[in-house]
């Protein structure tokens, strides 16, 4: 019979294992919606003090959840760029997507709907992190003007800093799931789903 090797688990070994786990961590640093796809960048911690920054252009169609997570940043783009006064929004969490059958022209929902965030970048570390939002505003002419926020610290005096933090946590989570394969249903599956609906209606 072979000899059994005994390994004593010491605090030092546990600390080293924890460091190794951290070294493999993937940290999303930014993402951009481009047509039906999402390009993203992340830091890959290979070892303590060794980090690779990786940028990826994906050809995988994004899931609606990822699009919805981006939409939660639209109002922040408008407020940080001083296009909409902060005091015009009583509660960021109560804002609903604009519906012309429900919301009046000129309502806060209508004004926010003119803004679209399509990119974000995180800078700094967890103790001093900031974000830059990039997007556009639709003018009354139908044209679009590009907007980019200044670097906004997530623990700053920005009145909706807490809501911005939560929105970014949700968005980063969706980007991570996208990296792991979460995507829009294949077109063929959507067609089959539509055919099933018609079949049910005919019964």
């Amino acid at each position: 019979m072979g000899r059994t090797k005994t390994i004593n688990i010491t605090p030092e070994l546990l600390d080293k294992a924890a460091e190794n786990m951290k070294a493999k961590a993937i940290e999303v640093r930014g993402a951009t919606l481009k047509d039906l796809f999402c390009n993203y960048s992340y830091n890959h911690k290979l070892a303590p003090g060794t980090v690779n920054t990786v940028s990826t252009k994906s050809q995988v169609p994004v899931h609606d959840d990822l699009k919805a997570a981006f939409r939660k940043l639209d109002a922040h783009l408008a407020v940080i760029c001083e296009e909409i006064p902060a005091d015009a929004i009583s509660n960021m969490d109560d804002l609903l997507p604009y519906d012309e059958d429900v919301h009046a022209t000129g309502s806060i929902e209508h004004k926010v709907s003119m803004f679209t965030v399509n990119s974000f970048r995180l800078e700094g570390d967890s103790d001093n992190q900031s974000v830059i939002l990039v997007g556009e505003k639709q003018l009354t002419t139908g044209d679009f003007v590009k907007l980019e926020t200044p670097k906004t610290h997530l623990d700053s005096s920005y009145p909706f800093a807490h809501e911005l933090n939560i929105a970014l946590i949700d968005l980063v989570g969706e980007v991570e799931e996208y990296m792991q394969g979460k995507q829009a249903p294949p077109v063929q599956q959507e067609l089959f789903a539509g055919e099933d609906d018609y079949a049910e209606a005919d019964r």
Side-chain angles (χ1 to χ4, degrees):
M1 294 179 63
R3 298 176 62 185
T4 301
K5 184 177 180 180
T6 301
I7 299 177
N8 293 323
I9 305 299
T10 64
E12 290 76 14
L13 283 176
L14 289 175
D15 289 342
K16 186 174 182 180
E19 286 184 1
N20 288 337
M21 290 179 67
K22 290 180 181 178
K24 297 178 181 178
I26 298 294
E27 182 182 24
V28 172
R29 301 302 292 169
T32 300
L33 278 182
K34 190 172 180 62
D35 299 323
L36 300 176
F37 312 107
C38 180
N39 301 334
Y40 53 86
S41 62
Y42 61 91
N43 286 346
H44 185 191
K45 298 180 182 178
L46 301 174
T50 303
V51 178
N52 282 350
T53 299
V54 182
S55 296
T56 300
K57 291 184 177 181
S58 178
Q59 295 298 312
V60 176
V62 299
H63 194 279
D64 284 345
D65 289 347
L66 179 52
K67 296 178 185 178
F70 263 98
R71 297 288 62 78
K72 293 178 182 178
L73 295 177
D74 294 344
H76 294 287
L77 174 68
V79 174
I80 295 172
C81 288
E82 298 183 352
E83 294 284 336
I84 292 179
D87 58 11
I89 301 176
S90 57
N91 189 329
M92 188 71 74
D93 293 333
D94 288 342
L95 279 178
L96 298 173
Y98 173 65
D99 183 339
E100 62 180 5
D101 294 328
V102 176
H103 304 115
T105 300
S107 64
I108 190 62
E109 289 82 5
H110 177 253
K111 291 178 180 178
V112 169
S113 72
M114 298 295 105
F115 298 85
T116 303
V117 172
N118 49 42
S119 181
F120 77 95
R121 298 195 308 273
L122 294 173
E123 298 188 0
D125 54 32
S126 58
D127 295 326
N128 186 31
Q129 197 164 74
S130 59
V131 65
I132 296 172
L133 305 179
V134 180
E136 59 190 12
K137 175 186 179 181
Q138 184 176 10
L139 306 178
T140 55
T141 60
D143 295 322
F144 293 87
V145 59
K146 183 177 179 180
L147 292 175
E148 180 172 330
T149 67
K151 188 184 300 183
T152 303
H153 290 276
L154 299 183
D155 59 353
S156 67
S157 58
Y158 171 55
F160 299 112
H162 175 71
E163 292 86 347
L164 178 58
N165 265 291
I166 298 301
L168 285 169
I169 290 171
D170 289 344
L171 179 52
V172 167
E174 286 296 333
V175 173
E176 289 173 343
E177 290 193 49
Y178 179 72
M179 293 168 62
Q180 296 166 8
K182 182 178 179 180
Q183 58 181 285
V187 174
Q188 189 174 15
Q189 291 184 19
E190 292 179 352
L191 291 175
F192 285 154
E195 291 174 0
D196 289 342
D197 291 340
Y198 286 125
E200 288 291 335
D202 291 337
R203 290 177 183 173

